[in-house]
Amino acid sequence: MAKERAEDLWTESDLVFTTRYGTPVEPRNFTREFDRRCERADVRRIRVHDTRHTCASLLAALDVHPRIAMQILRHSEIAVTMEVYMHVPSAETRRALRKLGKALGGGSKQKKEKKGKRKQQQGAEEPSAEDGRQEA
């Protein structure tokens, strides 16, 4: 669609992400947009490169054949896909890490901040004596 809109201004490339004219996106601009989208989606922000590890691990968890994952990630060697990118913890590992997280102080800073924001919003929604309403 961007190609049609750009018409003669389009630059053909094999890039996945481009500007509206098909040219490479400046890395800093890509990172800023990635950060904005993480915020908008209300997901924990990770480094852009870490999305490759996440993708590989999700593909493994979905039982996608390693060769297919290798093609998706555009690796030239299966060893890179299997040994560097795919991280599939067992159920026992996940349980142990949750226990460790709780023992070290519970949830993440982001979760605590969200709880604080929710409490502030709830407090703002409650009627006050100044509104002329009585609290029960």
Side-chain angles (χ1 to χ4, degrees):
M1 185 147 207
K3 186 176 181 177
E4 290 85 31
R5 278 188 263 147
E7 297 175 350
D8 293 339
L9 299 174
W10 183 260
T11 301
E12 199 60 49
S13 71
D14 64 347
L15 299 172
V16 176
F17 299 107
T18 67
T19 66
R20 69 182 81 178
Y21 301 110
T23 57
V25 176
E26 290 292 326
R28 183 68 189 118
N29 291 341
F30 185 88
T31 301
R32 270 190 287 244
E33 182 61 23
F34 181 79
D35 291 347
R36 274 194 291 272
R37 288 176 183 254
C38 286
E39 175 93 18
R40 207 175 316 143
D42 197 26
V43 296
R44 180 173 57 96
R45 195 244 180 252
I46 61 174
R47 295 178 310 149
V48 173
H49 181 78
D50 291 339
T51 61
R52 292 178 61 78
H53 292 270
T54 301
C55 179
S57 296
L58 290 171
L59 290 170
L62 294 169
D63 291 326
V64 172
H65 192 279
R67 286 269 173 210
I68 303 299
M70 180 183 109
Q71 290 172 345
I72 290 169
L73 295 166
R74 311 270 315 240
H75 291 150
S76 59
E77 296 180 29
I78 192 75
V80 172
T81 307
M82 296 298 294
E83 295 171 17
V84 177
Y85 281 86
M86 288 189 161
H87 312 284
V88 186
S90 66
E92 293 81 21
T93 303
R94 286 192 294 272
R95 272 195 299 277
L97 289 172
R98 273 195 295 275
K99 260 183 163 176
L100 179 62
K102 287 178 184 176
L104 293 174
S108 70
K109 180 182 175 186
Q110 288 175 336
K111 282 185 181 179
K112 289 176 185 175
E113 288 173 357
K114 284 180 190 175
K115 279 185 181 178
K117 284 181 185 178
R118 266 191 252 128
K119 284 183 182 180
Q120 286 176 345
Q121 288 171 345
Q122 288 171 348
E125 293 170 2
E126 292 176 7
S128 67
E130 294 171 7
D131 291 335
R133 296 182 215 138
Q134 292 180 344
E135 294 183 34

